[in-house]
Amino acid sequence: MSGSDQAEAFLRIDKLIKDFAGQDGSVFRAVDGISLDIHQGEIFALLGPSGCGKTSLLRMLGGFDLPTSGRIMLGGQDQSQLAPYQRPINMMFQSYALFPHLSVWDNIAFGLRREGLPKDQVASRVDAMLKLVQLGKFARRKPHQLSGGQQQRVALARSLAKQPKLLLLDEPLGALDKKLREETQIELVNIIESVGVTCVMVTHDQEEAMAMASRIGVMSEGRILQVGTPREIYETPATRFVADFIGNVNLMDGTLEVDEAAHVEITCPDVRHYVGHGITGHTGMPVTVALRPEKIRISCRPPAQEDDMAPAPFNQVKGRVKDMVYFGSDTLYHLQLPSGAILKVTQSNTERHPDDTLSWDDEAYAWWLPSAHVVLTQ
Ligand code: ATP
């Protein structure tokens, strides 16, 4: 790592480990040596399935749990052994933890008063926060008189009022229904970006991570498997776990048959893949081909050969439509292949009356371009 990288990391998590003791004297490692650099002003999402250790990591950042070993550096200062109130860090919990008997205004003022801030400064800070989250006219209401999304914004205002250097969000939108969640995601990002605070959020919802974060760290079993922008994680997953966890994907096991610098050929039970880039590997090795459903075309007619396509019989397959799910903007097809495996294909419904509409049990052709694949070797 270069000296300039060291200078740039605003939050540096260094070989962090968290062990929990079981009742029988055994030790369970919830966080297994995580190192991570987070830049100033970014919204970083820790994403992973239940139990992967993301909350344990967040709690150590907040000071609610102390690490077994490793360090947490913020702006060059070691935070690892400090109590939560000693850190310039604030955490917004999933339940919001608003005080039900206090008004919105008093909820936001609570932490500032406890810090002993002079009255006029408390007032101006709270008013600025209310303006920021656009809840000025609800200042005198109690939390139960607000919608879920509004309560969410009060909790955010309260977390930001103390002007933390680092904001931690634990499943920030977990309590909201889907539609409200989508709207609130955008509002939340706008507010966080307008303040410029660095933010680490935890979520098991990949859409939420994709929508809100500038970068995502995908976690499994206490480790970070891949760090990247939402696009990088989606388009070039590094492992089978990441490909499968993020979005919908077809995973096909096969063998690397031809290994050239500019293309490879992979044989799977139903399909021969022509991949338009080289990979690090060797002929005969087992690999997994990941193919996103939206990168596959489907029709009742065989594909016409075009310049950008692989030569037949590569990258195409004939099957039978086993299932169709109409989502409005697109349709998901389950195409049963000769081996019995299912190929998932999504087609966007751009035309009102497409002239080759498919139906259950129809024979159909699916094909894809040499640029559509990701080849996974781990
Ligand atoms: P979820 O999305 O369900 O909250 P998570 O990814 O946040 O999951 P953690 O809460 O960090 O996961 O837990 C990671 C592992 O550590 C789990 O197996 C959990 O049972 C264990 N664990 C967490 N806290 C403790 C504790 N205080 N004592 C013992 N084990 C714990």
Side-chain angles (χ1 to χ4, degrees):
M1 192 173 289
S2 73
S4 67
D5 283 343
Q6 297 233 353
E8 273 169 32
F10 178 65
L11 171 64
R12 168 153 294 177
I13 297 166
D14 188 23
K15 301 189 199 80
L16 211 59
I17 288 180
K18 181 67 192 177
D19 288 337
F20 289 111
Q23 287 188 330
D24 58 357
S26 63
V27 170
F28 178 78
R29 184 151 291 181
V31 173
D32 192 4
I34 287 182
S35 294
L36 191 61
D37 280 354
I38 292 173
H39 316 302
Q40 190 154 20
E42 87 169 318
I43 301 178
F44 190 95
L46 295 166
L47 174 67
S50 182
C52 71
K54 49 196 188 302
T55 307
S56 301
L57 177 52
L58 200 74
R59 289 178 60 81
M60 285 192 279
L61 295 179
F64 303 102
D65 280 327
L66 293 181
T68 304
S69 64
R71 283 197 316 168
I72 298 163
M73 305 290 290
L74 183 69
Q77 307 280 315
D78 192 348
Q79 309 287 316
S80 318
Q81 302 301 320
L82 300 180
Y85 67 88
Q86 294 171 312
R87 303 183 185 203
I89 298 175
N90 216 328
M91 176 132 153
M92 190 177 90
F93 290 94
Q94 185 176 4
S95 56
Y96 314 151
L98 295 176
F99 299 113
H101 58 288
L102 295 184
S103 68
V104 166
W105 204 98
D106 289 327
N107 259 287
I108 299 173
F110 186 84
L112 302 175
R113 284 176 173 149
R114 218 169 53 164
E115 240 181 20
L117 209 66
K119 231 174 167 181
D120 55 332
Q121 283 185 38
V122 171
S124 66
R125 199 83 78 78
V126 173
D127 289 339
M129 285 299 124
L130 280 169
K131 198 164 164 217
L132 180 72
V133 298
Q134 298 180 359
L135 286 176
K137 62 176 186 235
F138 297 132
R140 301 262 64 96
R141 287 202 191 175
K142 299 277 169 60
H144 75 271
Q145 296 168 313
L146 300 177
S147 73
Q150 289 162 345
Q151 289 182 33
Q152 213 308 315
R153 272 145 57 198
V154 176
L156 181 65
R158 192 178 58 176
S159 305
L160 291 173
K162 285 168 85 173
Q163 301 176 336
K165 286 188 179 156
L166 180 66
L167 177 67
L168 306 175
L169 306 175
D170 181 13
E171 301 273 1
L173 307 173
L176 306 182
D177 65 39
K178 189 169 163 41
K179 193 159 184 339
L180 191 55
R181 207 157 57 207
E182 281 168 10
E183 289 165 16
T184 315
Q185 277 165 6
I186 299 169
E187 282 173 7
L188 223 63
V189 170
N190 287 342
I191 295 168
I192 291 167
E193 286 183 349
S194 71
V195 178
V197 65
T198 308
C199 184
V200 178
M201 62 182 272
V202 152
T203 180
H204 65 271
D205 178 341
Q206 44 127 339
E207 280 177 25
E208 190 163 300
M210 305 274 280
M212 292 183 63
S214 48
R215 285 192 306 154
I216 297 173
V218 182
M219 286 185 68
S220 171
E221 297 181 353
R223 291 166 184 256
I224 294 208
L225 299 185
Q226 188 173 359
V227 173
T229 62
R231 180 178 291 273
E232 283 164 352
I233 298 275
Y234 187 83
E235 295 288 345
T236 51
T239 66
R240 199 183 162 106
F241 179 90
V242 175
D244 206 15
F245 188 70
I246 309 286
N248 215 341
V249 71
N250 294 288
L251 292 171
M252 300 180 223
D253 293 326
T255 307
L256 186 61
E257 298 284 358
V258 172
D259 179 22
E260 302 278 337
H263 95 274
V264 299
E265 294 172 22
I266 295 162
T267 302
C268 295
D270 293 294
V271 188
R272 293 179 67 195
H273 292 278
Y274 184 102
V275 180
H277 58 83
I279 67 164
T280 309
H282 56 84
T283 310
M285 84 187 273
V287 293
T288 302
V289 174
L291 206 51
R292 298 281 185 200
E294 73 275 12
K295 301 215 188 287
I296 306 175
R297 313 295 305 157
I298 189 167
S299 170
C300 57
R301 290 189 279 270
Q305 188 68 41
E306 287 175 27
D307 285 352
D308 52 354
M309 288 170 56
F314 288 104
N315 293 1
Q316 49 185 280
V317 67
K318 190 173 161 189
R320 194 169 285 281
V321 176
K322 267 288 162 201
D323 246 319
M324 290 168 54
V325 188
Y326 178 73
F327 288 114
S329 61
D330 48 34
T331 300
L332 171 68
Y333 296 90
H334 279 187
L335 192 67
Q336 187 162 46
L337 305 184
S339 72
I342 296 291
L343 185 72
K344 290 174 278 187
V345 182
T346 46
Q347 194 93 294
S348 64
N349 297 320
T350 43
E351 291 171 49
R352 177 76 67 87
H353 301 293
D355 61 357
D356 65 347
T357 322
L358 287 165
S359 196
W360 273 270
D361 251 3
D362 281 354
E363 278 204 332
Y365 297 84
W367 69 96
W368 51 93
L369 297 178
S371 57
H373 316 80
V374 174
V375 181
L376 302 168
T377 53
Q378 49 178 325

